[in-house]
Amino acid sequence: MTHPVQQQVLDILRQDWAEYIPQFRRMPPEAQAAFLAAQGYARFGDLLAHIVAWWQVGLQSIQSYLAEPTYRPPQYDVDAFNAEAVAQAAAKSEEEIAAAFETTRAFLVAFVETLPEAAFENEKVLRQLNMEFTGHLSEHSIPESK
């Protein structure tokens, strides 16, 4: 039986995040530009690179929390971290970044599917799952087309 939080995260990864790129691409070009400007990114690939970078942090943190209960994650300068994620993706095409996004998303689905029941009793794991997958989606939600 799947834990309710596990099911919620899986649903978000399998549905909401799976639709993220197609949903953006269905927007008219002017709406895409306005969305990216509001998000603070020059191109869609930069936003995707930012999301993938934080997903990787979340994954590593969850693995660390499960391996070492006293694990304390590093403190991040969020602006510097985001700038570095964008800089690392600068030479990549949007298609390459979108492929990395999808590969990472698929890996995360498998990862969350195999998390032990005890992971969903761990407040640090629950907070990380919420921060990286649920909360991050709401921070970058694509407006519904009219």
Side-chain angles (χ1 to χ4, degrees):
M1 179 132 159
T2 307
H3 190 281
V5 172
Q6 183 179 29
Q7 191 60 56
Q8 177 190 23
V9 172
L10 287 170
D11 290 347
I12 287 168
L13 285 167
R14 288 179 181 146
Q15 296 162 19
D16 300 275
W17 281 119
E19 269 301 301
Y20 197 76
I21 293 172
Q23 189 179 5
F24 177 82
R25 290 182 174 162
R26 287 192 296 267
M27 294 170 66
E30 60 278 1
Q32 289 180 359
F35 172 72
L36 291 173
Q39 290 287 312
Y41 291 93
R43 64 184 187 134
F44 189 51
D46 294 342
L47 174 58
L48 294 178
H50 152 88
I51 292 166
V52 170
W54 283 110
W55 281 354
Q56 291 168 339
V57 166
L59 172 67
Q60 292 165 350
S61 295
I62 291 167
Q63 290 170 325
S64 296
Y65 291 138
L66 295 175
E68 179 55 53
T70 60
Y71 172 75
R72 295 179 60 113
Q75 295 298 311
Y76 290 96
D77 176 328
V78 173
D79 293 336
F81 181 90
N82 292 340
E84 179 63 22
V86 170
Q88 287 184 357
K92 295 179 180 165
S93 70
E94 184 176 303
E95 287 308 314
E96 289 173 303
I97 299 167
F101 176 96
E102 279 303 312
T103 300
T104 305
R105 188 186 65 76
F107 180 85
L108 289 168
V109 167
F111 174 74
V112 173
E113 284 176 337
T114 61
L115 281 173
E117 183 74 24
F120 301 97
E121 308 304 323
N122 184 318
E123 286 301 318
K124 293 176 183 176
V125 170
L126 293 175
R127 186 171 51 251
Q128 201 75 48
L129 288 168
N130 179 58
M131 200 169 22
E132 304 310 342
F133 308 117
T134 311
H136 213 177
L137 180 64
S138 65
E139 286 177 34
H140 299 297
S141 64
I142 294 174
E144 291 296 320
S145 299
K146 306 245 182 324

